[in-house]
Amino acid sequence: MPIAKVDGVEVEFEPGMTVLQVAELAGKEIPRFCYHERLSIAGNCRMCLVEVKPGPPKPQASCALPAAEGQEIFTDTPMVKKARHGVMEFLLINHPLDCPICDQGGECDLQDQAMGYGRDDSRYGENKRAVEEKFMGPLIKTVMTRCIQCTRCVRFVTEVAGVPEIGLISRGEDVEITTYLDAAVTSELSANVIDLCPVGALTSKPYAFNARPWELKKTESIDVMDALGSAIRVDARGPAVLRVLPRINDDVNEEWISDKTRYAVDGLSRQRLDRPYIRENGKLRPATWAEALQTVAAKVKATAPERIGVIAGDLQDAESMKAALDLFGGLGVTSLDCRQDGMALGDGPRESWLMNSTIAGIEDADVILLVGTNPRLEAPVFNARLRKRWLAGALRIGVIGEQADLSYGYDYLGAGADTLNGLSKSRSDFAKAFKGAEKAAVILGAGALARGDGAAVVKAAAGVAETFKATWNVLHTAAARVGGLDLGFIPREGGKSALELTAKGGADLLLLMGADEMDLSATDAFVVYMGTHGDAGAHRADVILPGAAYTEKNGLYVNTEGRVQRGERAVFPKGEAKEDWAILRALSELLDAKLPYDSLDQLRARLFADHPTFGRIDYVPDAPGALDLSVLGGEGDLSDAPFASPVKAFYLTNPIARASVTMAECQALVPGAEKIAAE
């Protein structure tokens, strides 16, 4: 490996690295505004100046200068310091001195660097330049007079998001950042530009003027808005969650999160269930916990186990599902299901419902077949990974299902199961590329699995994966799905599925654990709803037991690749609401079937003992070497209906998002989308 000297210290570096990267290997902090390691190099802020020998006797931009064998790099010479002070003075010439009212105050790169390289006075006597504010949608607040034209936002939406709707217009001192035709940015990842902006030009519109960063309690947790399990930081003040920010996790979300992950948090404080309710004479009335639990216990005792059903929703933690399994399984209940949508997976080996390539490992694939999935809506951050690989020119993608804008080019093969079934005999260019691929992958989505012929589709897709020697992957949409399947939260022998339970006459007693994505209009059962919001389940419920949202409890979640992740409590549950496992523990006493744990730690110990995979926090299973694809799926006729993604309204996929005013505003801007406003 080549060697360079940084301030007299020899450093080995990989070929292709820049001088800035080599300096950082040596532990030197180089100031920068335009450079970002996940974006292309622009070299237009000039803050990262260093002195390099051999080379011209002048400071050079280290972010754009390739490192070479034998270079001598100087990061703190008088020439370098003078140059950086000069660049900072120019940057501040037009920058308004409005730190006291700027939302970026306290976490602003310009503010931090000005402490090291700024002057305590200004030599600039002319009027400051002013720039009109721009409209970028309901999420991004603009104060463009602060903009230093680093173009990080332009590069992000163009390169990562794949929606080139932000750009630079005019020249010289008239240059401005703006959106295309002053329209809102349409990407599901748009708000990441707020984190990227090194000044206060782009800030969070919903969070504007709510708090200063030093007032907030910061809790590292996991996102549950999709099945990726993105690493997030929950910032709260008192009882309220004020914002969610991404954390770096190169194996899952890199440093991006979707707009729904970031901004659905205002739904945590709206339409909340904060006390128990009992329905009398067709109307819900407030009740005490003792009264509500006794009503439920009496109903359970009076109902035969085969007429009881338990359905877990998409946001449930593993502990609550484990408690439900222990309690109702012990009572002889066989109709338990975590698959609200009727997904046709859960009976085979664990690898049959995982993304076996792993999220980061999908970047090694050279040909991918997407079946019944729209990753841009179902997992936007994962979709950005596919685009990243595609931009490198190393990935070919085929799609069977909806012909949607995925932000990258793909071969559209067909709409439904017939195309999937005929792929093995196809002579298309894509089939030839798929056959010759070194690392082929099949990604199966909920649009192909949650159908009446789902088992037959799985069998057909497994046949394709076997024929083309492709890795088997499933992209889930629900944060709780893999955890539920790992626990065996599916009907036992003689039990009914979620769809059968909610049909007319399907059950006499239904316990809905945050299950709101189902049609409950036909069921004539006594419905007990344990959840957080006044959504579909609560509207149909006869008894409501208020639970804790994902930011209000410690819980384990398993993402689509099988990675067990720990969510942490940032605030306490609203009102009289309690954690779900604690509600079931209290109910078990009234049913004379006391659960053998009194604390979350005891429950987790039991969980780890019964299901050891849950004890391997942040561990991803190795790609299966011997997954027998021939045993996956089942017999049956394939429907000629086209595959359709279950996500029709990206911003309104769960009770928290549907209670959010911000998400309603975002959904209203989606072209052709149904205008749904939060109540």
Side-chain angles (χ1 to χ4, degrees), residues 2-77:
I3 297 176
K5 279 188 177 181
V6 180
D7 292 337
V9 178
E10 289 190 346
V11 178
E12 279 190 340
F13 63 92
E14 295 180 12
M17 295 183 78
T18 65
V19 168
L20 185 149
Q21 292 170 319
V22 173
E24 292 203 326
L25 283 179
K28 300 296 181 180
E29 184 177 345
I30 307 295
R32 86 290 300 267
F33 294 116
C34 70
Y35 174 79
H36 192 277
E37 52 270 18
R38 301 191 197 275
L39 303 176
S40 62
I41 294 171
N44 53 8
C45 78
R46 319 308 289 179
M47 195 64 204
C48 62
L49 295 172
V50 296
E51 190 177 348
V52 177
K53 294 180 181 178
K58 65 177 184 179
Q60 299 185 65
S62 60
C63 70
L65 183 64
E69 171 72 39
Q71 266 182 342
E72 289 189 70
I73 303 165
F74 302 95
T75 66
D76 57 359
T77 63

Side-chain angles (χ1 to χ4, degrees), residues 260-312:
K260 181 167 55 178
T261 298
R262 188 185 299 266
Y263 284 121
V265 290
D266 64 319
L268 291 168
S269 59
R270 302 184 73 255
Q271 301 182 11
R272 286 300 301 270
L273 302 172
D274 58 0
R275 62 184 304 175
Y277 289 88
I278 297 175
R279 190 177 298 275
E280 288 184 356
N281 301 319
K283 293 185 177 181
L284 290 169
R285 67 163 178 84
T288 63
W289 268 108
E291 186 182 8
L293 288 173
Q294 286 167 359
T295 301
V296 175
K299 195 67 180 177
V300 172
K301 287 179 179 179
T303 306
E306 61 270 16
R307 298 296 297 167
I308 297 176
V310 183
I311 303 174

Side-chain angles (χ1 to χ4, degrees), residues 129-396:
R129 166 182 181 251
V131 183
E132 288 184 358
E133 311 313 345
K134 313 299 181 193
F135 174 73
M136 293 191 178
L139 306 179
I140 305 169
K141 174 183 167 63
T142 66
V143 184
M144 300 312 292
T145 301
R146 301 172 185 158
C147 179
I148 62 171
Q149 289 83 45
C150 71
T151 69
R152 279 187 181 182
C153 55
V154 177
R155 285 174 283 147
F156 173 81
V157 298
T158 303
E159 298 164 11
V160 179
V163 183
E165 296 172 343
I166 300 179
L168 212 63
I169 61 171
S170 300
R171 300 176 67 186
E173 96 167 323
D174 295 325
V175 71
E176 297 181 19
I177 300 279
T178 185
T179 56
Y180 182 66
L181 297 179
D182 289 329
V185 184
T186 60
S187 171
E188 295 78 18
L189 299 168
S190 65
N192 287 288
V193 300
I194 294 167
D195 298 329
L196 289 173
C197 185
V199 297
L202 304 178
T203 55
S204 171
K205 190 175 286 187
Y207 174 72
F209 310 123
N210 274 350
R212 286 299 197 185
W214 53 84
E215 300 176 314
L216 303 174
K217 184 182 77 170
K218 302 168 180 66
T219 306
E220 295 186 352
S221 190
I222 295 299
D223 172 49
V224 299
M225 295 293 147
D226 57 31
L228 285 195
S230 299
I232 60 172
R233 193 187 84 195
V234 180
D235 287 0
R237 184 178 61 188
V241 174
L242 295 185
R243 67 176 180 179
V244 163
L245 297 176
R247 290 188 291 122
I248 295 177
N249 185 341
D250 287 329
D251 293 332
V252 180
N253 60 306
E254 297 182 300
E255 58 185 271
W256 319 124
I257 54 174
S258 74
D259 293 348
K260 181 167 55 178
T261 298
R262 188 185 299 266
Y263 284 121
V265 290
D266 64 319
L268 291 168
S269 59
R270 302 184 73 255
Q271 301 182 11
R272 286 300 301 270
L273 302 172
D274 58 0
R275 62 184 304 175
Y277 289 88
I278 297 175
R279 190 177 298 275
E280 288 184 356
N281 301 319
K283 293 185 177 181
L284 290 169
R285 67 163 178 84
T288 63
W289 268 108
E291 186 182 8
L293 288 173
Q294 286 167 359
T295 301
V296 175
K299 195 67 180 177
V300 172
K301 287 179 179 179
T303 306
E306 61 270 16
R307 298 296 297 167
I308 297 176
V310 183
I311 303 174
D314 293 347
L315 306 182
Q316 289 302 117
D317 55 287
E319 291 90 341
S320 64
M321 290 189 281
K322 172 62 175 169
L325 276 172
D326 288 349
L327 174 57
F328 288 96
L331 295 174
V333 175
T334 57
S335 300
L336 305 102
D337 206 351
C338 66
R339 305 165 301 181
Q340 291 184 86
D341 54 7
M343 174 176 284
L345 282 177
D347 296 328
R350 185 176 190 239
E351 293 81 12
S352 66
W353 57 76
L354 297 184
M355 178 169 285
N356 294 296
S357 294
T358 72
I359 294 170
I362 205 69
E363 291 187 32
D364 296 329
D366 48 4
V367 182
I368 292 176
L369 176 65
L370 301 178
V371 182
T373 180
N374 180 344
R376 179 171 171 181
L377 297 183
E378 296 169 22
V381 175
F382 178 72
N383 195 62
R385 273 198 191 267
L386 295 181
R387 174 175 168 78
K388 176 175 156 188
R389 177 71 168 165
W390 174 80
L391 276 178
L395 178 62
R396 185 164 185 175

Side-chain angles (χ1 to χ4, degrees), residues 469-511:
K469 296 180 174 55
T471 307
W472 177 261
N473 299 289
V474 178
L475 179 60
H476 293 279
T477 58
R481 187 62 48 84
V482 175
L485 295 177
D486 286 352
L487 286 168
F489 205 102
I490 57 175
R492 303 178 183 184
E493 187 176 353
K496 297 178 180 178
S497 69
L499 297 181
E500 292 171 332
L501 288 170
T502 53
K504 186 173 178 61
D508 293 337
L509 173 64
L510 265 182
L511 172 63

Side-chain angles (χ1 to χ4, degrees), residues 9 49 110 157 246 412 454 478 488 495 498 512 568 673 676:
V9 178
L49 295 172
L110 184 65
V157 298
Y412 184 67
L512 303 179
E568 301 290 347
I676 304 174

